[in-house]
Amino acid sequence: MAFRKNNPLGLVSGKIGETVSRIRYGKEVVYSKPASYRISCSPSAVFGRSKFANAVKLAGLVNSVPELSLVWKIAKIKGTNSYQKIIKHNAKLVSDYGLTLKNIITPPLTLVEGHSITLDGNKIILEFKVDKSFPNPPLILLTLISFQNETQNEMFIVRSDELEKIDNGYLRGVLSLSEEALDKTTGLNNAILLSAFLSASGTICWSSTIPFKLNLKP
């Protein structure tokens, strides 16, 4: 890297011969032109790129939800912003074809356990066992769903406020799927669901991510 002075053409940005010029803080900075390279098609390279692509897809979806982006922002964990924190904590946990039960959509905090999952038409019914200290409704249930098999995956987030206490220490949440979402399940073997509760009002609080796996095979 070098600074170009007294350029008769004035400040220049772009490629010139074997150099690349960029304007930084009002000065022309000259870099050597990067050498061209081949993208490796080895199994390990393809595997690594697929995993990273799924981590990026997950992070983009989670960060697009204002409430989830906020809890990652305020969580006291390493990372310069919400998006980078989400990738950092999920990149090693995804698979090359989708999500795993170890992935998370919220930073670890209040513990909630998954109890059961049922698919009923266009609705997914989730039951959770919650700690006594966990806030009562109103709550928001956010769930990242990945319909997937070994060759493809479809990810999206479902928001629900259909929550009720069904017994001492248990909550039931209902996710309603659109026809478009149901169409995406065709030919896919299973679904990974990553759920989390967030407070709907008052003090910001959230649960750790609760994972579920749903078998879509008949």
Side-chain angles (χ1 to χ4, degrees), residues 27 34 45 50 52 63 66 71 90 99 101 114 116-117 137 142 156 166 178 182 192 199:
K27 297 182 179 181
S50 297
F52 186 71
N63 199 48
V71 299
N90 282 281
L99 304 185
L101 295 173
S116 68
I117 180 170
L142 291 168
F156 52 91
I166 57 173
S178 66
L182 287 175
I192 296 293
S199 57

Side-chain angles (χ1 to χ4, degrees), residues 89-104:
H89 285 75
N90 282 281
K92 294 182 179 180
L93 303 176
V94 295
S95 73
D96 59 323
Y97 59 85
L99 304 185
T100 71
L101 295 173
K102 293 182 179 180
N103 286 121
I104 58 176

Side-chain angles (χ1 to χ4, degrees), residues 161-176:
D161 56 6
E162 294 186 60
L163 299 166
E164 63 174 342
K165 279 196 168 183
I166 57 173
D167 200 352
N168 186 28
Y170 287 87
L171 279 175
R172 175 184 290 144
V174 179
L175 308 178
S176 297

Side-chain angles (χ1 to χ4, degrees), residues 154-196:
E154 296 285 349
M155 293 186 203
F156 52 91
I157 290 182
V158 177
R159 183 188 187 100
S160 176
D161 56 6
E162 294 186 60
L163 299 166
E164 63 174 342
K165 279 196 168 183
I166 57 173
D167 200 352
N168 186 28
Y170 287 87
L171 279 175
R172 175 184 290 144
V174 179
L175 308 178
S176 297
L177 303 182
S178 66
E179 289 298 325
E180 181 182 0
L182 287 175
D183 288 343
K184 292 179 179 180
T185 68
T186 304
L188 301 181
N189 298 335
N190 62 74
I192 296 293
L193 290 84
L194 305 174
S195 294

